[in-house]
Amino acid sequence: MNLRRLGATGPETAGLGLGCMGMSGMYGQADQGESIATVNAALDAGLTLLDTGDFYGMGDNELLLREALRGRARDSYLISVKFGAQRAPDGAWLGYDASPNAVKTALTYSLHRLGTDYVDVYRPARLDPEVPIEETVGAIKEMIDAGYVRNVGLSEVGADTIRRAHAVHPVADVQIEYSLFSRTVEAQILPTVRELGVGITAYGVLSRGLLSGHWTPERSTDRADFRTHAPRFQGENLDRNLALVEALREVAREKGATVAQLAIAWVAAQDELIVPLVGARRRERLNEALGALDVKLTADDLARIEAAVPAGSASGDRYAAQQMAALDSEKA
């Protein structure tokens, strides 16, 4: 298993991580038994990094992981937890709270649901505009000093925020969407993390399924699936994006890989500091993603991929306008 480190100060992990969000409702109904089997299959295959959020299924995702991890040695896997998203009983999003007291309270609940004494990486899901990042990271540092957290992480923040946070306590990694369809990270964020020795855990490497090679215009989505309202999955945007996928399919076929494997391998090839996260909910999709670890891309391969899917060629934003406006990572 290819190993990578989460930044200069973070833990060593396998070169691929498992994102668990889709196992708890964000992409519609999921099979809990199959989700648990997928987590265990990932760990058995040598993956070590499991990424969750305390707001995935309003805590259900952490409870699912607790069940999946039962009986496994705690030092055989890493848990990354996002916190701060506020939700109503009907599932509505109410903003973010990353104040010091909220940091500690949310962590307490996560430790209880996960059934663990510590989490390996703890990170605010988004920048709280009402709370200086120094205060949020300072509270996480206190939890590190107390033994409840091992590493500071960030999510969807820009270069300036990364620098300010890193000045308070070394940041292990920044979690951010990065794929052939989402490349704004390349302008300022990648140069900054390289300079500071901070890692990247890249989610959305298949652009929520668009780059999987399995999406079709006729595919219907569950009403609870947020992709139903995502701009890239709408109308002409979807048609244009799937045309790009077909161009990528030609490159993948000649490489002896699937579209998904090529898309994952492309992200991993951008820098050794990047650990792609795959959001597989079923063992079938996990096994396909694992095949990406065997795909070695040459300079010619990378040039052909770039020609098939040039930077900025995807149609539509990755989130709706209101959500895009809340992303510190998308601000110049």
Side-chain angles (χ1 to χ4, degrees):
M1 179 64 67
N2 173 36
L3 297 177
R4 296 190 173 191
R5 184 171 296 280
L6 296 184
T9 62
E12 189 175 66
T13 182
L16 199 63
L18 183 64
C20 301
M21 181 185 77
M23 298 177 180
S24 297
M26 299 295 288
Y27 290 157
Q29 189 65 35
D31 183 315
Q32 182 172 356
E34 180 61 21
S35 294
I36 290 173
T38 300
V39 172
N40 279 288
L43 296 172
D44 291 343
L47 301 193
T48 52
L49 178 61
L50 303 172
D51 182 75
T52 185
D54 62 12
F55 50 93
Y56 294 167
M58 274 67 86
D60 280 354
N61 199 246
E62 292 176 319
L63 292 172
L64 183 149
L65 283 180
R66 178 176 184 158
E67 181 63 27
L69 297 170
R70 194 180 303 277
R72 289 187 179 267
R74 181 61 183 88
D75 60 358
S76 67
Y77 56 84
L78 304 169
I79 302 178
S80 164
V81 179
K82 290 182 290 297
F83 70 91
Q86 306 295 290
R87 303 190 68 178
D90 63 358
W93 299 92
L94 305 175
Y96 297 92
D97 187 353
S99 60
N101 284 347
V103 169
K104 298 169 186 178
T105 300
L107 175 62
T108 302
Y109 293 161
S110 286
L111 292 172
H112 179 75
R113 285 189 293 262
L114 288 164
T116 185
D117 295 328
Y118 66 93
V119 297
D120 297 278
V121 187
Y122 201 53
R123 69 182 85 242
R126 296 288 187 270
L127 180 66
D128 183 341
E130 303 300 322
V131 179
I133 192 62
E134 291 85 352
E135 293 184 14
T136 301
V137 173
I140 299 175
K141 180 182 183 300
E142 289 182 33
M143 296 296 92
I144 290 175
D145 293 341
Y148 298 117
V149 175
R150 296 288 172 86
N151 298 277
V152 172
L154 300 172
S155 179
E156 288 291 355
V157 293
D160 179 64
T161 301
I162 296 169
R163 291 184 184 281
R164 290 167 53 199
H166 196 68
V168 176
H169 187 278
V171 174
D173 73 301
V174 176
Q175 191 171 116
I176 196 163
E177 186 166 345
Y178 190 24
S179 73
L180 281 163
F181 280 0
S182 299
R183 297 179 60 175
T184 54
V185 64
E186 294 173 348
Q188 296 184 29
I189 295 170
L190 268 180
T192 299
V193 297
R194 285 169 178 150
E195 175 192 339
L196 298 177
V198 174
I200 291 281
T201 41
Y203 74 91
V205 292
L206 298 181
S207 194
R208 313 293 188 174
L210 272 180
L211 282 164
S212 68
H214 303 296
W215 201 277
T216 65
E218 298 79 24
R219 177 169 172 171
S220 61
T221 53
D222 188 304
R223 290 183 62 184
D225 189 332
F226 93 93
R227 292 173 295 191
T228 302
H229 309 288
R232 285 184 181 168
F233 290 82
Q234 306 303 311
E236 292 183 356
N237 285 344
L238 178 61
D239 294 337
R240 294 191 190 101
N241 291 331
L242 290 180
L244 293 171
V245 173
E246 290 310 306
L248 188 64
R249 194 185 303 276
E250 289 301 312
V251 183
R253 184 179 295 116
E254 294 182 17
K255 189 67 178 174
T258 68
V259 174
Q261 289 167 349
L262 197 68
I264 296 167
W266 179 87
V267 173
Q270 301 311 300
D271 202 298
E272 284 289 325
L273 61 78
I274 299 171
V275 176
L277 298 173
V278 293
R281 297 191 290 175
R282 305 196 308 275
R283 284 167 287 182
E284 174 189 6
R285 292 290 179 251
L286 171 67
N287 290 334
E288 180 181 15
L290 288 169
L293 294 169
D294 297 322
V295 178
K296 308 304 178 187
L297 299 179
T298 66
D300 182 61
D301 294 330
L302 291 170
R304 294 191 63 213
I305 292 169
E306 183 76 25
V309 188
S313 60
S315 295
D317 286 330
R318 52 195 178 107
Y319 292 111
Q322 183 177 5
Q323 292 170 292
M324 288 295 293
L327 293 176
D328 184 60
S329 55
E330 292 287 337
K331 296 174 183 176

